[in-house]
Amino acid sequence: MNVLVLYAHPVETSFHAALHRLIVERLSAAGHIVDDCDLYAEDFDPRMSRAERLAYHDGHTPSEEIGRYVERLRRAEALVLAFPVWNFGYPAILKGFFDRVFLPGVSFTMIDGEAVPSLHNIRKVAAISTYGGSRLRAFLMGDPPRKLVTRLLRATVKPGAQVSYLAHYSMNLSTEESRKSFKARVAAKMDRF
Amino acid sequence: MRVLVVYCHPVPDSFCAALRDVAIGTLTAQGWDVRLVDLYADGFDPVLGTDERRHYHDRAPADPALATHIGNLKWAEAILFVYPTWWYGLPAMLKGWLDRVWATDVAFKLPADGGRIVSLVPHITRIGVVTTCGAPWWMSMLMGQPGRKTILRGIRALCARRSRTLYVAHYDMDRSTPQSRAAFLKKVRRKVARF
């Protein structure tokens, strides 16, 4: 499968960077064609501009920069998100990918003012995330990033697509062991992807 | 009371700008001391960078571009967010403001022994949101309102205990009419007056 990996962590020596390498390595080893989109390395600007906002509903051809990302998204048959949870949301750089690339005509169609999901080329989704706080705290906060994946992304991609969400909570209290076991879970998930 | 209005929309003459003006007008008329942050006009950089992340747990962010924002957090007793809801969440620009400004040693402290997070902004006692959602109300409920929860639960948890909240949204914006928008402006005026 063509798998688009969207990765959003700025620090090369972070635990998430290790997860990212693991994801790409295991997916490639399993025979997938991996398009590794490292948003920080590609210096993605997450800010939707005035011109983009004004043209949003007009079906204009996106800029060359965004057009390339649209092309990569369209080519993908599966999506793997790897991101740290900051302030109970996606990092801005990843949120901006949705704002600027998941455009009308790409991931949904506007029909009489209603957004109808249409990113049906994506047949499988996995998200790998890390939280500073505990699972209980995330639950009390309504766990917005989990909902963005298991509800919103699920509703956006091909109906019936498999969507999974793997999270290491309490990163601030993580141990060598907890990190190792999370890596093993991620590796197993990618091997079977 | 001192209120920080955090406004985020790329188009200067958007409906959101009208919401901002009504909110500020209402607050000022009530005698509030208002400060406005206009993230797009300020050219704010929402991307938390490598160095900032590297030192995230050691100290407050050092970028001088954040100094005014950090000062605003110390000053504010209330915060009112005005923004469009995109993909059921905050625009990246606004999310990045939270990522970078609501940081260690600014908004909270993490005890080294792994104890409970300590608020550094307990003087903020009110958190409000004025927003527009393309999707209808029922769809927003179905998706679990991630944007609302990021602010009214996640950010609120860092502020004073039992902070008052306000959430006003114009749902179904993609099918809005001049009438629905006028009615919403009225509603915002009414609700913000009681903020």
Side-chain angles (χ1 to χ4, degrees), chain B residues 25-44:
Chain B
T26 309
L27 291 166
T28 309
Q30 304 261 321
W32 290 54
D33 192 354
V34 183
R35 266 193 205 173
L36 169 68
V37 175
D38 181 335
L39 294 171
Y40 271 94
D42 293 350
F44 185 76

Side-chain angles (χ1 to χ4, degrees), chain A residues 142-157:
Chain A
D143 208 338
R146 183 182 281 269
K147 290 192 169 75
L148 287 171
V149 173
T150 59
R151 298 192 188 180
L152 179 54
L153 251 188
R154 188 195 295 279
T156 306
V157 301

Side-chain angles (χ1 to χ4, degrees), chain B residues 83-124:
Chain B
Y83 63 89
T85 293
W86 290 342
W87 283 97
Y88 299 89
L90 321 180
M93 177 66 115
L94 178 56
K95 181 54 179 44
W97 185 77
L98 300 182
D99 292 351
R100 298 192 65 203
V101 182
W102 290 71
T104 312
D105 288 347
V106 176
F108 60 88
K109 252 185 190 329
L110 285 172
D113 61 2
R116 281 177 69 97
I117 188 165
V118 180
S119 168
L120 296 181
V121 286
H123 51 278
I124 299 175

Side-chain angles (χ1 to χ4, degrees), chain A residues 19 22 26 179-189 191:
Chain A
L19 291 174
L22 182 71
R26 293 301 176 107
R179 290 191 295 269
K180 219 172 126 184
S181 92
F182 186 64
K183 269 182 162 177
R185 272 177 70 202
V186 172
K189 184 92 217 161
D191 287 345

Side-chain angles (χ1 to χ4, degrees), chain A residues 40 47-48 86 88 90 95, chain B residues 40 44 48 86 90 95:
Chain A
Y40 271 95
R47 293 171 286 196
M48 186 191 284
W86 290 342
F88 296 102
Y90 290 146
K95 177 53 178 41
Chain B
Y40 271 94
F44 185 76
L48 173 53
W86 290 342
L90 321 180
K95 181 54 179 44

